[in-house]
Amino acid sequence: MYNIPNMEGNSSLKRFLANIYGYTFFNALMWLSPVYAVFMQSNGVSDIGISVLLMLWSGAIIVTQFPLTWLARKFGAKNVLFAGQVLKIVAFILWIIWPCFVGFAIGMILWGMHGAIYDAISEDVLYDEVQARTHSNVYAKILGRRRNIASAAKALSAAGSLLMFFGYEVITAATVVCLALSMLFLMRMQLIEEYVGIGQNVSLGAQIKTGLATFRQTPVLIALLALCVMVTNFSYLNDYLSLIGVDIGLRPEFIGIVPFFMLCCQVAGQGVAHRFYNARWAWLYSLVIVSGALFIVFAVYYNIWGLIALGAAYMLCSIVKIVTYAHFQDRTPSRHRMEVLSLYSMTDQATYMLVSLIIGLGSLFGSWRYSVLILGCMLGLVGIWATTCIRRYRQHRYTTQTPPTPGAVVRADGIDVI
């Protein structure tokens, strides 16, 4: 990776971050968030059907992840990020034009393709561009800030439920306008590392082999991936919070208070997460166990006051996710980052499909509380697993002083304790 002078780098970093934050904010400012599941139910989709649609979303990410990564290598990350916003816009407009299960399914697939782009390619761009502009170890702080900006936008999106008085068409139009604004920030973004891999004819098979080889030669990445993916998904109720709000007795017009409160708790955790970057891992494992217990407390009480326990769990899990993901990025070689993040995204979505199935099956008992109870138990088991099973791993440090060449793995040895 090439470095630039500090003064120029600081100015360049500020410009880049202004655009990445703007892109992140307006991409996350989705007024449909608190109401799209209710909209689907009002058009004949059952509880288990909601889970099936969410599984389709995850499935689309898994299937299209590497093809989209290949496109980013071929035509540039910025162009693919722009195309991803177009796919998301088309998905939401389709729901209004064709409000049936098939229309929702196609929209979810298109939205999933956008998710594949956002999960891997935008994260790859963020890390490499930050490292190209600074010598400081600031990624964990920037990652937390970026996710806080996204969370703030999602919290603001909770007000979308109030727009139900004007109809779903108005909510969709407002969401499309925000996505268009996110595209303007993408157009303004200047990438130092944009040259990486553009125009190279690297096959999909070679990309997959490169990613798998990197994991095989760097065992610590496997441990960090497993911990981060399980904590992320076993604590993820975002797509069901509106339905849970209705389940505990809130009126549909006011269900936005549930995702709003959860996001406030998440922001609180993300805001201080970078302070835990050098904390003992045993403390982080303990936070996961406590989070599982808090999920169970909410499932037992299952009322508006019980949301306090769920919010505390969200805050603790957000700390663990930021710290674990930052360590994962720091140990990933820049020349293979996009391939590694693609495999990370695919694993993440495969896990989310399993969680969506579990949540859907839990609802068959008559209430979403049983789904929350199951996830709480699973979170506790993850914390116990991490405490008892994760030991010493070999850490591999990578250098990228020359332009990356896909397919070659460069490594050096060190010791890391997690």
Side-chain angles (χ1 to χ4, degrees):
M1 184 178 299
Y2 295 106
N3 291 319
I4 52 182
N6 288 339
M7 184 175 298
E8 180 185 350
N10 291 337
S11 176
S12 177
L13 178 63
K14 289 179 180 178
R15 290 195 300 271
F16 169 75
L17 290 178
N19 287 312
I20 198 74
Y21 290 156
Y23 159 65
T24 298
F25 179 82
F26 285 106
N27 177 70
L29 188 56
M30 202 175 81
W31 303 104
L32 277 169
S33 293
V35 299
Y36 74 85
V38 178
F39 176 60
M40 291 175 178
Q41 283 191 326
S42 67
N43 282 277
V45 180
S46 64
D47 288 348
I48 192 67
I50 296 292
S51 289
V52 170
L53 288 173
L54 292 172
M55 290 171 68
L56 279 176
W57 179 79
S58 295
I61 293 178
I62 294 172
V63 171
T64 63
Q65 187 68 77
F66 267 103
L68 290 169
T69 300
W70 179 85
L71 288 175
R73 290 286 193 199
K74 187 73 174 178
F75 300 107
K78 185 175 176 179
N79 292 329
V80 175
L81 287 172
F82 192 90
Q85 301 306 100
V86 175
L87 291 174
K88 194 173 181 181
I89 289 174
V90 173
F92 295 156
I93 292 177
L94 180 63
W95 289 354
I96 295 298
I97 297 176
W98 196 13
C100 63
F101 186 86
V102 175
F104 294 141
I106 296 174
M108 277 293 188
I109 291 171
L110 294 176
W111 190 9
M113 293 173 67
H114 164 271
I117 294 170
Y118 190 85
D119 288 351
I121 299 172
S122 74
E123 293 292 351
D124 171 82
V125 167
L126 175 62
Y127 189 94
D128 284 344
E129 292 296 316
V130 167
Q131 292 303 307
R133 290 170 166 84
T134 179
H135 296 288
S136 304
N137 184 20
V138 296
Y139 172 71
K141 187 173 183 178
I142 290 174
L143 176 64
R145 186 176 298 164
R146 184 194 183 197
R147 295 196 178 183
N148 268 350
I149 288 172
S151 296
K154 292 175 182 177
L156 184 59
S157 299
S161 61
L162 299 176
L163 297 178
M164 287 181 67
F165 293 107
F166 302 100
Y168 290 104
E169 293 82 0
V170 172
I171 302 176
T172 300
T175 302
V176 169
V177 169
C178 291
L179 289 172
L181 290 174
S182 75
M183 295 166 75
L184 292 178
F185 282 97
L186 276 176
M187 293 172 63
R188 288 166 46 88
M189 195 181 299
Q190 298 295 322
L191 304 184
I192 295 176
E193 297 290 314
E194 181 69 352
Y195 70 88
V196 175
I198 292 182
Q200 292 186 5
N201 188 23
V202 181
S203 68
L204 293 177
Q207 285 191 311
I208 295 173
K209 289 179 180 178
T210 296
L212 292 174
T214 304
F215 275 106
R216 186 173 61 253
Q217 296 168 10
T218 318
V220 68
L221 288 180
I222 300 175
L224 291 172
L225 179 147
L227 179 60
C228 194
V229 163
M230 288 191 288
V231 172
T232 297
N233 287 285
F234 294 161
S235 66
Y236 190 82
L237 286 170
N238 294 28
D239 294 318
Y240 298 89
L241 289 175
S242 298
L243 300 175
I244 289 173
V246 173
D247 213 23
I248 63 177
L250 292 175
R251 291 178 55 184
E253 292 83 2
F254 303 108
I255 55 178
I257 191 175
V258 181
F260 177 81
F261 177 68
M262 292 302 120
L263 285 168
C264 286
C265 294
Q266 188 171 310
V267 165
Q270 290 170 169
V272 299
H274 67 279
R275 300 180 184 274
F276 292 81
Y277 183 82
N278 294 315
R280 293 176 61 87
W281 282 90
W283 286 101
L284 296 176
Y285 304 152
S286 299
L287 294 184
V288 178
I289 296 174
V290 172
S291 299
L294 290 171
F295 263 65
I296 294 172
V297 168
F298 171 66
V300 171
Y301 287 95
Y302 205 61
N303 55 33
I304 193 168
W305 298 109
L307 291 173
I308 296 175
L310 188 63
Y314 259 60
M315 182 178 67
L316 297 180
C317 285
S318 66
I319 293 173
V320 177
K321 288 185 286 186
I322 290 289
V323 172
T324 307
Y325 191 79
H327 278 285
F328 180 85
Q329 284 274 46
D330 286 341
R331 288 155 177 78
T332 300
S334 292
R335 66 180 62 211
H336 307 308
R337 188 176 309 283
M338 200 175 290
E339 287 78 16
V340 169
L341 290 180
S342 293
L343 288 172
Y344 177 98
S345 177
M346 293 171 69
T347 305
D348 182 46
Q349 295 306 320
T351 307
Y352 179 67
M353 290 179 69
L354 174 63
V355 170
S356 295
L357 178 61
I358 291 172
I359 293 176
L361 293 175
S363 70
L364 296 179
F365 291 100
S367 173
W368 296 106
R369 72 189 305 168
Y370 299 105
S371 303
V372 178
L373 180 63
I374 294 171
L375 292 183
C377 293
M378 295 175 74
L379 265 178
L381 291 174
V382 169
I384 295 172
W385 164 79
T387 302
T388 58
C389 297
I390 296 184
R391 292 292 186 265
R392 292 179 180 267
Y393 282 84
R394 299 292 293 177
Q395 177 192 7
H396 302 273
R397 303 185 186 278
Y398 297 79
T399 59
T400 53
Q401 299 302 321
T402 57
T405 302
V409 178
V410 181
R411 58 195 179 116
D413 293 331
I415 295 291
D416 184 39
V417 181
I418 66 173

Coordinates of all heavy atoms in Angstrom, one line a residue, residues 34 94 170 172 269 326 362 402 406:
P34 N -39.1 0.6 9.6 CA -40.0 0.1 10.7 C -41.3 -0.5 10.2 O -42.1 -1.0 11.0 CB -40.2 1.3 11.6 CG -40.0 2.4 10.6 CD -39.0 2.0 9.6
L94 N -40.3 -1.7 -6.7 CA -41.0 -2.9 -7.1 C -42.0 -3.4 -6.1 O -43.1 -3.8 -6.4 CB -40.0 -4.1 -7.3 CG -40.6 -5.4 -7.8 CD1 -41.2 -5.3 -9.1 CD2 -39.5 -6.5 -7.8
V170 N -45.6 7.2 -0.1 CA -44.9 8.4 0.4 C -43.6 7.9 1.1 O -42.5 8.5 0.9 CB -45.7 9.3 1.3 CG1 -44.9 10.4 2.0 CG2 -46.9 9.9 0.6
T172 N -42.0 5.1 0.6 CA -41.0 4.6 -0.4 C -40.4 5.8 -1.1 O -39.1 5.7 -1.3 CB -41.8 3.7 -1.4 OG1 -42.4 2.6 -0.7 CG2 -40.8 3.2 -2.4
G269 N -23.0 1.8 22.7 CA -21.9 0.7 22.7 C -20.9 1.0 21.6 O -19.7 0.9 21.9
A326 N -12.7 -5.2 14.1 CA -11.5 -4.4 13.9 C -10.3 -5.3 14.0 O -9.4 -5.1 13.2 CB -11.4 -3.3 15.0
G362 N -39.6 -20.3 16.0 CA -40.0 -19.9 17.4 C -41.3 -19.2 17.4 O -42.1 -19.4 18.4
T402 N 4.0 -3.3 -2.4 CA 3.9 -3.4 -3.8 C 2.5 -3.6 -4.2 O 1.7 -4.1 -3.4 CB 4.8 -4.5 -4.4 OG1 4.4 -5.7 -3.8 CG2 6.3 -4.3 -4.1
P406 N -3.6 -10.6 -7.1 CA -4.5 -11.6 -6.6 C -4.0 -13.0 -6.9 O -3.4 -13.3 -7.9 CB -5.8 -11.4 -7.4 CG -5.7 -9.9 -7.8 CD -4.3 -9.6 -8.0

